[in-house]
Amino acid sequence: MTEKEVETLTALSRSRTESASRVSRAAMLLAYRENPSFFAVGRRLGVHHQTVQRCIERAVANGALAALDDRPRPGKEPVITAEAKAWLVSLACDKAKEHGYAHELWTTRLLARHAREHGPSAGHQCLANLVQGTVCKILGQEEIKPHKVRYYLERRDAEFEQKMAEVLCVYREVQVLKKGTAKSKKSGKRVAIISYDEKPGIQAIAATAPDLPPVPGVYPAFARDFEYKRHGTLSLLAGIDLLTGKVHALVKDRHRSR
């Protein structure tokens, strides 16, 4: 062993944070270096001489530091086959209601029960005892979450790209006008570009009781009564001047074209 390996093994043999197996093996290697006898090292450290022999043989074959870790084990043969996992993942990509359930989306518990009931008839007998935790692991490996919904926007306007280009051109024109106004204090033609939108049907709701303030150590936030009064609906019409940044807003009881 090199001096560096001896220093590393010495530090490991005295460590209080390393695993007990690594500390014990480091001590075996150092003791065998002083007294090359399996029986003597085993008697000194209180382990079987065959344990010392296996550790020394691994060190001779793979190096001193490599002998500190366990050998890779083959492990238990997987019970669920790759075909059964593919069938389960394919099932998770469908909606639960497509298979006769009242649920629209799968839950992992429902998916496990369906796989137990219908997996063997589909040729996957290994799914007869499938549990929810195994379903979560299989779906997690494929990064599939059938119980969640993410929203998207379908493009229904064939002229979307053309309209988008026009809007971007307007904003580019605003940038040019801003730069021109900044350079020249005397502006010739006054230009206003307004980006506006409307939001009708806003509920006008009033509280029936005053809000209670926070109390340190008791109530961390304002408390508001659940009951409220309705005062109809209002329409908000607002526009922002893209050159100055000023917002022009109107709140009206009625929403008419004029």
Side-chain angles (χ1 to χ4, degrees), residues 173-191 243-244:
E173 183 180 354
V174 171
Q175 292 181 354
V176 174
L177 291 174
K178 281 185 176 181
K179 291 181 180 179
T181 305
K183 291 181 180 179
S184 176
K185 294 183 179 180
K186 296 181 180 180
S187 57
K189 184 173 63 174
R190 302 187 64 182
V191 179
L243 286 178
T244 63

PDB file of all heavy atoms in Angstrom, residues 173-191 243-244:
ATOM      1  N   GLU A 173     -42.418  49.250 -33.005  1.00  0.00           N
ATOM      2  CA  GLU A 173     -42.616  50.650 -33.354  1.00  0.00           C
ATOM      3  C   GLU A 173     -42.614  51.523 -32.099  1.00  0.00           C
ATOM      4  O   GLU A 173     -42.098  52.642 -32.099  1.00  0.00           O
ATOM      5  CB  GLU A 173     -43.940  50.810 -34.103  1.00  0.00           C
ATOM      6  CG  GLU A 173     -44.219  52.229 -34.582  1.00  0.00           C
ATOM      7  CD  GLU A 173     -45.540  52.333 -35.309  1.00  0.00           C
ATOM      8  OE1 GLU A 173     -46.171  51.289 -35.542  1.00  0.00           O
ATOM      9  OE2 GLU A 173     -45.929  53.473 -35.630  1.00  0.00           O
ATOM     10  N   VAL A 174     -43.173  51.005 -31.016  1.00  0.00           N
ATOM     11  CA  VAL A 174     -43.173  51.741 -29.751  1.00  0.00           C
ATOM     12  C   VAL A 174     -41.748  51.973 -29.269  1.00  0.00           C
ATOM     13  O   VAL A 174     -41.382  53.059 -28.812  1.00  0.00           O
ATOM     14  CB  VAL A 174     -43.990  50.970 -28.695  1.00  0.00           C
ATOM     15  CG1 VAL A 174     -43.811  51.597 -27.314  1.00  0.00           C
ATOM     16  CG2 VAL A 174     -45.456  50.962 -29.074  1.00  0.00           C
ATOM     17  N   GLN A 175     -40.899  50.956 -29.379  1.00  0.00           N
ATOM     18  CA  GLN A 175     -39.506  51.116 -28.982  1.00  0.00           C
ATOM     19  C   GLN A 175     -38.807  52.197 -29.805  1.00  0.00           C
ATOM     20  O   GLN A 175     -38.054  53.008 -29.276  1.00  0.00           O
ATOM     21  CB  GLN A 175     -38.777  49.781 -29.116  1.00  0.00           C
ATOM     22  CG  GLN A 175     -39.220  48.725 -28.126  1.00  0.00           C
ATOM     23  CD  GLN A 175     -38.448  47.428 -28.270  1.00  0.00           C
ATOM     24  OE1 GLN A 175     -37.652  47.286 -29.203  1.00  0.00           O
ATOM     25  NE2 GLN A 175     -38.696  46.495 -27.373  1.00  0.00           N
ATOM     26  N   VAL A 176     -39.067  52.194 -31.098  1.00  0.00           N
ATOM     27  CA  VAL A 176     -38.452  53.204 -31.961  1.00  0.00           C
ATOM     28  C   VAL A 176     -38.930  54.603 -31.593  1.00  0.00           C
ATOM     29  O   VAL A 176     -38.140  55.557 -31.526  1.00  0.00           O
ATOM     30  CB  VAL A 176     -38.767  52.886 -33.435  1.00  0.00           C
ATOM     31  CG1 VAL A 176     -38.261  54.008 -34.347  1.00  0.00           C
ATOM     32  CG2 VAL A 176     -38.133  51.559 -33.844  1.00  0.00           C
ATOM     33  N   LEU A 177     -40.225  54.751 -31.328  1.00  0.00           N
ATOM     34  CA  LEU A 177     -40.763  56.056 -30.961  1.00  0.00           C
ATOM     35  C   LEU A 177     -40.198  56.525 -29.616  1.00  0.00           C
ATOM     36  O   LEU A 177     -39.928  57.712 -29.417  1.00  0.00           O
ATOM     37  CB  LEU A 177     -42.290  55.995 -30.900  1.00  0.00           C
ATOM     38  CG  LEU A 177     -43.002  55.824 -32.245  1.00  0.00           C
ATOM     39  CD1 LEU A 177     -44.495  55.624 -32.036  1.00  0.00           C
ATOM     40  CD2 LEU A 177     -42.764  57.039 -33.136  1.00  0.00           C
ATOM     41  N   LYS A 178     -40.022  55.603 -28.674  1.00  0.00           N
ATOM     42  CA  LYS A 178     -39.455  55.974 -27.380  1.00  0.00           C
ATOM     43  C   LYS A 178     -38.038  56.484 -27.529  1.00  0.00           C
ATOM     44  O   LYS A 178     -37.636  57.487 -26.920  1.00  0.00           O
ATOM     45  CB  LYS A 178     -39.489  54.765 -26.432  1.00  0.00           C
ATOM     46  CG  LYS A 178     -40.841  54.502 -25.795  1.00  0.00           C
ATOM     47  CD  LYS A 178     -40.738  53.374 -24.778  1.00  0.00           C
ATOM     48  CE  LYS A 178     -42.064  53.185 -24.069  1.00  0.00           C
ATOM     49  NZ  LYS A 178     -42.002  52.111 -23.055  1.00  0.00           N
ATOM     50  N   LYS A 179     -37.239  55.788 -28.354  1.00  0.00           N
ATOM     51  CA  LYS A 179     -35.864  56.226 -28.572  1.00  0.00           C
ATOM     52  C   LYS A 179     -35.833  57.586 -29.255  1.00  0.00           C
ATOM     53  O   LYS A 179     -35.022  58.445 -28.917  1.00  0.00           O
ATOM     54  CB  LYS A 179     -35.118  55.197 -29.405  1.00  0.00           C
ATOM     55  CG  LYS A 179     -34.852  53.883 -28.674  1.00  0.00           C
ATOM     56  CD  LYS A 179     -34.081  52.918 -29.560  1.00  0.00           C
ATOM     57  CE  LYS A 179     -33.807  51.605 -28.831  1.00  0.00           C
ATOM     58  NZ  LYS A 179     -33.070  50.634 -29.684  1.00  0.00           N
ATOM     59  N   GLY A 180     -36.730  57.789 -30.225  1.00  0.00           N
ATOM     60  CA  GLY A 180     -36.761  59.070 -30.918  1.00  0.00           C
ATOM     61  C   GLY A 180     -37.175  60.201 -30.012  1.00  0.00           C
ATOM     62  O   GLY A 180     -36.635  61.316 -30.094  1.00  0.00           O
ATOM     63  N   THR A 181     -38.133  59.936 -29.102  1.00  0.00           N
ATOM     64  CA  THR A 181     -38.576  60.972 -28.168  1.00  0.00           C
ATOM     65  C   THR A 181     -37.481  61.316 -27.166  1.00  0.00           C
ATOM     66  O   THR A 181     -37.316  62.467 -26.750  1.00  0.00           O
ATOM     67  CB  THR A 181     -39.831  60.492 -27.423  1.00  0.00           C
ATOM     68  OG1 THR A 181     -40.821  60.119 -28.380  1.00  0.00           O
ATOM     69  CG2 THR A 181     -40.385  61.586 -26.521  1.00  0.00           C
ATOM     70  N   ALA A 182     -36.713  60.308 -26.760  1.00  0.00           N
ATOM     71  CA  ALA A 182     -35.635  60.553 -25.805  1.00  0.00           C
ATOM     72  C   ALA A 182     -34.520  61.394 -26.413  1.00  0.00           C
ATOM     73  O   ALA A 182     -33.906  62.219 -25.733  1.00  0.00           O
ATOM     74  CB  ALA A 182     -35.079  59.222 -25.303  1.00  0.00           C
ATOM     75  N   LYS A 183     -34.250  61.205 -27.699  1.00  0.00           N
ATOM     76  CA  LYS A 183     -33.177  61.957 -28.357  1.00  0.00           C
ATOM     77  C   LYS A 183     -33.593  63.397 -28.632  1.00  0.00           C
ATOM     78  O   LYS A 183     -32.814  64.319 -28.494  1.00  0.00           O
ATOM     79  CB  LYS A 183     -32.778  61.261 -29.654  1.00  0.00           C
ATOM     80  CG  LYS A 183     -32.080  59.924 -29.448  1.00  0.00           C
ATOM     81  CD  LYS A 183     -31.700  59.314 -30.778  1.00  0.00           C
ATOM     82  CE  LYS A 183     -30.988  57.967 -30.586  1.00  0.00           C
ATOM     83  NZ  LYS A 183     -30.632  57.343 -31.874  1.00  0.00           N
ATOM     84  N   SER A 184     -34.823  63.563 -29.051  1.00  0.00           N
ATOM     85  CA  SER A 184     -35.285  64.903 -29.434  1.00  0.00           C
ATOM     86  C   SER A 184     -36.342  65.380 -28.447  1.00  0.00           C
ATOM     87  O   SER A 184     -37.385  64.743 -28.289  1.00  0.00           O
ATOM     88  CB  SER A 184     -35.866  64.866 -30.855  1.00  0.00           C
ATOM     89  OG  SER A 184     -36.395  66.104 -31.205  1.00  0.00           O
ATOM     90  N   LYS A 185     -36.079  66.484 -27.775  1.00  0.00           N
ATOM     91  CA  LYS A 185     -37.049  67.037 -26.841  1.00  0.00           C
ATOM     92  C   LYS A 185     -38.221  67.662 -27.584  1.00  0.00           C
ATOM     93  O   LYS A 185     -39.343  67.679 -27.091  1.00  0.00           O
ATOM     94  CB  LYS A 185     -36.389  68.084 -25.944  1.00  0.00           C
ATOM     95  CG  LYS A 185     -35.327  67.507 -25.013  1.00  0.00           C
ATOM     96  CD  LYS A 185     -34.771  68.582 -24.110  1.00  0.00           C
ATOM     97  CE  LYS A 185     -33.719  68.003 -23.153  1.00  0.00           C
ATOM     98  NZ  LYS A 185     -33.159  69.035 -22.263  1.00  0.00           N
ATOM     99  N   LYS A 186     -37.963  68.211 -28.760  1.00  0.00           N
ATOM    100  CA  LYS A 186     -39.026  68.814 -29.557  1.00  0.00           C
ATOM    101  C   LYS A 186     -39.628  67.743 -30.456  1.00  0.00           C
ATOM    102  O   LYS A 186     -39.071  67.405 -31.498  1.00  0.00           O
ATOM    103  CB  LYS A 186     -38.470  69.958 -30.405  1.00  0.00           C
ATOM    104  CG  LYS A 186     -37.928  71.117 -29.577  1.00  0.00           C
ATOM    105  CD  LYS A 186     -37.412  72.212 -30.488  1.00  0.00           C
ATOM    106  CE  LYS A 186     -36.872  73.381 -29.682  1.00  0.00           C
ATOM    107  NZ  LYS A 186     -36.358  74.466 -30.557  1.00  0.00           N
ATOM    108  N   SER A 187     -40.738  67.202 -29.991  1.00  0.00           N
ATOM    109  CA  SER A 187     -41.403  66.171 -30.799  1.00  0.00           C
ATOM    110  C   SER A 187     -42.354  66.850 -31.765  1.00  0.00           C
ATOM    111  O   SER A 187     -43.134  67.723 -31.385  1.00  0.00           O
ATOM    112  CB  SER A 187     -42.155  65.202 -29.897  1.00  0.00           C
ATOM    113  OG  SER A 187     -43.094  65.895 -29.100  1.00  0.00           O
ATOM    114  N   GLY A 188     -42.297  66.427 -32.990  1.00  0.00           N
ATOM    115  CA  GLY A 188     -43.154  67.026 -34.002  1.00  0.00           C
ATOM    116  C   GLY A 188     -44.582  66.531 -33.883  1.00  0.00           C
ATOM    117  O   GLY A 188     -45.461  67.192 -33.339  1.00  0.00           O
ATOM    118  N   LYS A 189     -44.847  65.336 -34.382  1.00  0.00           N
ATOM    119  CA  LYS A 189     -46.189  64.782 -34.353  1.00  0.00           C
ATOM    120  C   LYS A 189     -46.372  63.969 -33.084  1.00  0.00           C
ATOM    121  O   LYS A 189     -45.567  63.102 -32.762  1.00  0.00           O
ATOM    122  CB  LYS A 189     -46.406  63.904 -35.576  1.00  0.00           C
ATOM    123  CG  LYS A 189     -47.820  63.347 -35.685  1.00  0.00           C
ATOM    124  CD  LYS A 189     -48.030  62.619 -37.001  1.00  0.00           C
ATOM    125  CE  LYS A 189     -47.118  61.408 -37.099  1.00  0.00           C
ATOM    126  NZ  LYS A 189     -47.393  60.605 -38.307  1.00  0.00           N
ATOM    127  N   ARG A 190     -47.449  64.251 -32.365  1.00  0.00           N
ATOM    128  CA  ARG A 190     -47.710  63.518 -31.131  1.00  0.00           C
ATOM    129  C   ARG A 190     -48.408  62.203 -31.460  1.00  0.00           C
ATOM    130  O   ARG A 190     -49.372  62.162 -32.233  1.00  0.00           O
ATOM    131  CB  ARG A 190     -48.575  64.350 -30.185  1.00  0.00           C
ATOM    132  CG  ARG A 190     -47.944  65.697 -29.832  1.00  0.00           C
ATOM    133  CD  ARG A 190     -48.728  66.408 -28.766  1.00  0.00           C
ATOM    134  NE  ARG A 190     -48.700  65.660 -27.515  1.00  0.00           N
ATOM    135  CZ  ARG A 190     -49.354  66.042 -26.415  1.00  0.00           C
ATOM    136  NH1 ARG A 190     -50.068  67.161 -26.426  1.00  0.00           N
ATOM    137  NH2 ARG A 190     -49.291  65.315 -25.325  1.00  0.00           N
ATOM    138  N   VAL A 191     -47.923  61.140 -30.896  1.00  0.00           N
ATOM    139  CA  VAL A 191     -48.443  59.799 -31.176  1.00  0.00           C
ATOM    140  C   VAL A 191     -48.845  59.152 -29.870  1.00  0.00           C
ATOM    141  O   VAL A 191     -48.155  59.278 -28.852  1.00  0.00           O
ATOM    142  CB  VAL A 191     -47.379  58.924 -31.885  1.00  0.00           C
ATOM    143  CG1 VAL A 191     -47.925  57.528 -32.137  1.00  0.00           C
ATOM    144  CG2 VAL A 191     -46.968  59.584 -33.199  1.00  0.00           C
ATOM    145  N   LEU A 243     -46.353  54.495 -24.679  1.00  0.00           N
ATOM    146  CA  LEU A 243     -45.248  55.453 -24.718  1.00  0.00           C
ATOM    147  C   LEU A 243     -44.966  56.038 -23.344  1.00  0.00           C
ATOM    148  O   LEU A 243     -43.820  56.177 -22.940  1.00  0.00           O
ATOM    149  CB  LEU A 243     -45.564  56.567 -25.716  1.00  0.00           C
ATOM    150  CG  LEU A 243     -45.460  56.190 -27.198  1.00  0.00           C
ATOM    151  CD1 LEU A 243     -45.853  57.376 -28.060  1.00  0.00           C
ATOM    152  CD2 LEU A 243     -44.047  55.756 -27.536  1.00  0.00           C
ATOM    153  N   THR A 244     -46.026  56.391 -22.612  1.00  0.00           N
ATOM    154  CA  THR A 244     -45.844  57.040 -21.316  1.00  0.00           C
ATOM    155  C   THR A 244     -46.016  56.080 -20.146  1.00  0.00           C
ATOM    156  O   THR A 244     -45.576  56.377 -19.030  1.00  0.00           O
ATOM    157  CB  THR A 244     -46.845  58.186 -21.169  1.00  0.00           C
ATOM    158  OG1 THR A 244     -48.186  57.652 -21.192  1.00  0.00           O
ATOM    159  CG2 THR A 244     -46.680  59.181 -22.309  1.00  0.00           C
TER     160      THR A 244
END
